[in-house]
């Protein structure tokens, strides 16, 4: 089976690597254009592009796949990509975290299969891993699905579940789901080749949407319960990094623990900041013990190390 692959970040690169290791022919890869990154804002290739070039695979990086785009450059690049797909000998397109919408003109060329990091129909959309942790879901997984024009609405081919562990962050859960997705897409394509995989419509109930994560969401509201705050801290690790303000200085909080003990102090008040108790913050309900913090320009530090350079006694997190 010959596979055109469309994807951009590391989540997708893991799947592409699994397909290559399994012996699938990949004549063409689509990925997002190189983006500026780092302090020097130099252009960096996506994880998928880097892997594709290592294997000598042709790479296309159109700004859009919509030939009716209003911007002439986007429309021209979409038309060129469409013609290249038509000229490519392939059986199926596999899509994983590509970042561009596939229009009907692309979906009609050959079957398109998506690797989605949630248990559909829960968490359709851009940030399923973040939102599952933030919502307190006890489990998540990967769905292999046929693509259609709706947002993650296509029929399901394969679905597998894993537990969300209490200490899981978006970073750790991402890695688990990426590995699972790579394994599942290989199995799914093998079964398709053998005619042993049947598409099943998604349930009509239980639909939720995983909106894209914004930097503004990273500002913690200590009026929330400690449990909710702890989930947000885990969900926003590594991006965008949850934070609170201390005297207008943004302090990122990377790891924390929700405690049952309530406090009469105003939410955000630092109740303890010492070697005996650690850093404990009053919340709307319960209290929060902070384990790893970072000040602007500094390193991520354990709480006691952080306190040596940034005392928090009698402070308030806004």
């Amino acid at each position: 089976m010959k596979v055109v692959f469309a994807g951009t970040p590391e989540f997708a690169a893991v799947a592409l690597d699994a397909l290559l290791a399994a012996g699938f022919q990949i004549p063409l890869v689509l990925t997002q254009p190189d983006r500026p990154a780092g302090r020097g804002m130099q252009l960096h290739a996506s994880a998928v592009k880097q892997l594709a070039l290592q294997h000598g695979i042709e790479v296309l990086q159109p700004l859009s796949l919509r030939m009716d785009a209003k911007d002439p450059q986007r429309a021209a690049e979409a038309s060129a990509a469409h013609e290249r797909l038509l000229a490519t000998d392939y059986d199926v397109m596999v899509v994983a975290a590509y970042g561009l919408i596939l229009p009907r003109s692309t979906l009609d060329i050959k079957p398109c299969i998506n690797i989605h990091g949630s248990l559909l129909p829960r968490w359709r959309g851009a940030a399923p891993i973040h939102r599952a942790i933030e919502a307190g879901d006890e489990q998540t997984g990967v769905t292999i699905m046929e693509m259609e024009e709706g947002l993650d609405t296509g029929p399901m081919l394969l679905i597998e579940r894993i537990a969300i562990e209490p200490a899981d962050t978006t970073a750790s859960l991402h890695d688990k789901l990426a590995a699972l997705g790579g394994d599942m897409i290989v199995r799914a394509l093998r079964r398709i080749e053998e005619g042993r995989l049947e598409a099943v419509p998604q349930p009509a109930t239980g639909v939720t949407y995983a909106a894209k994560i914004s930097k503004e969401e990273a500002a913690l509201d200590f009026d929330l319960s400690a449990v909710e705050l702890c989930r947000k801290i885990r969900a926003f690790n590594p991006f965008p990094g949850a934070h609170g303000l201390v005297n207008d200085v943004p302090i990122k909080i990377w790891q924390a623990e929700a405690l049952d003990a309530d406090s009469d102090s105003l939410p955000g008040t630092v109740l303890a900041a010492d070697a005996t108790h650690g850093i404990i913050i009053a919340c709307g309900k319960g209290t929060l013990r902070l384990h790893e913090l970072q000040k602007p320009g500094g390193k991520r530090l354990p709480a006691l190390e952080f306190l040596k350079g940034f005392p928090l006694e009698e402070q308030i997190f806004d």
Side-chain angles (χ1 to χ4, degrees):
M1 181 174 282
K2 297 178 182 178
V3 180
V4 166
F5 188 87
T8 299
E10 184 62 31
F11 182 91
V14 172
L16 176 58
D17 191 48
L19 291 171
L20 290 167
F24 286 95
Q25 298 181 54
I26 315 288
L28 181 67
V29 160
L30 280 71
T31 191
Q32 287 268 350
D34 296 358
R35 304 292 189 195
R39 291 185 177 180
M41 295 302 285
Q42 295 182 341
L43 290 178
H44 284 261
S46 72
V48 164
K49 179 180 179 179
Q50 294 178 48
L51 180 59
L53 294 179
Q54 289 172 17
H55 288 268
I57 302 171
E58 180 185 354
V59 176
L60 290 183
Q61 296 178 270
L63 290 167
S64 173
L65 291 175
R66 291 190 173 278
M67 294 184 288
D68 59 354
K70 294 181 179 179
D71 179 82
Q73 181 180 356
R74 290 175 180 268
E77 291 192 13
S79 295
H82 183 74
E83 292 302 317
R84 187 68 192 89
L85 286 170
L86 289 174
T88 300
D89 178 19
Y90 71 103
D91 302 297
V92 64
M93 178 184 286
V94 170
V95 183
Y98 180 27
L100 292 184
I101 295 174
L102 269 60
R104 171 53 58 189
S105 57
T106 301
L107 296 172
D108 284 344
I109 298 174
K110 291 292 174 94
C112 297
I113 297 176
N114 182 239
I115 307 169
H116 187 75
S118 83
L119 302 174
L120 291 171
R122 185 158 177 80
W123 302 126
R124 294 173 178 172
I129 301 175
H130 301 76
R131 299 305 181 190
I133 293 176
E134 183 184 21
D137 291 0
E138 294 183 355
Q139 63 177 2
T140 185
V142 170
T143 304
I144 308 295
M145 55 173 282
E146 293 180 352
M147 296 187 70
E148 55 186 31
E149 286 187 282
L151 178 63
D152 299 326
T153 58
M156 303 178 297
L157 295 166
L158 203 60
I159 188 165
E160 290 196 10
R161 292 167 167 78
I162 63 170
I164 299 179
E165 302 296 340
D168 267 329
T169 64
T170 289
S172 65
L173 191 56
H174 165 281
D175 292 350
K176 295 176 186 179
L177 293 177
L180 178 60
D183 175 70
M184 288 175 63
I185 191 60
V186 169
R187 285 190 279 120
L189 293 182
R190 294 287 191 225
R191 293 185 189 181
I192 290 173
E193 286 181 308
E194 298 165 0
R196 296 192 300 112
L197 199 58
E198 181 180 352
V200 177
Q202 292 186 34
T205 58
V207 176
T208 57
Y209 291 92
K212 184 178 180 180
I213 300 295
S214 68
K215 290 184 178 180
E216 290 72 23
E217 291 182 80
L220 296 176
D221 178 2
F222 288 90
D223 286 328
L224 297 175
S225 72
V227 170
E228 291 173 291
L229 289 166
C230 195
R231 293 202 303 249
K232 287 180 178 292
I233 291 165
R234 292 163 49 222
F236 300 153
N237 180 353
F239 176 84
H243 71 268
L245 293 176
V246 178
N247 293 325
D248 294 325
V249 178
I251 303 299
K252 287 195 172 182
I253 303 170
W254 294 108
Q255 291 184 30
E257 171 191 4
L259 305 177
D260 291 333
D262 287 322
S263 169
D264 294 330
S265 299
L266 289 174
T269 301
V270 177
L271 302 175
D274 53 55
T276 302
H277 303 93
I279 302 173
I280 299 179
I281 313 295
C283 304
K285 181 179 180 182
T287 54
L288 197 66
R289 176 177 283 137
L290 310 186
H291 290 303
E292 187 177 46
L293 305 91
Q294 181 182 19
K295 64 182 180 181
K299 298 179 180 179
R300 293 167 60 156
L301 295 172
L304 296 184
E305 289 295 315
F306 180 85
L307 288 173
K308 293 177 182 178
F310 201 103
L312 288 174
E313 294 90 349
E314 299 182 2
Q315 299 287 352
I316 293 180
F317 276 82
D318 294 325

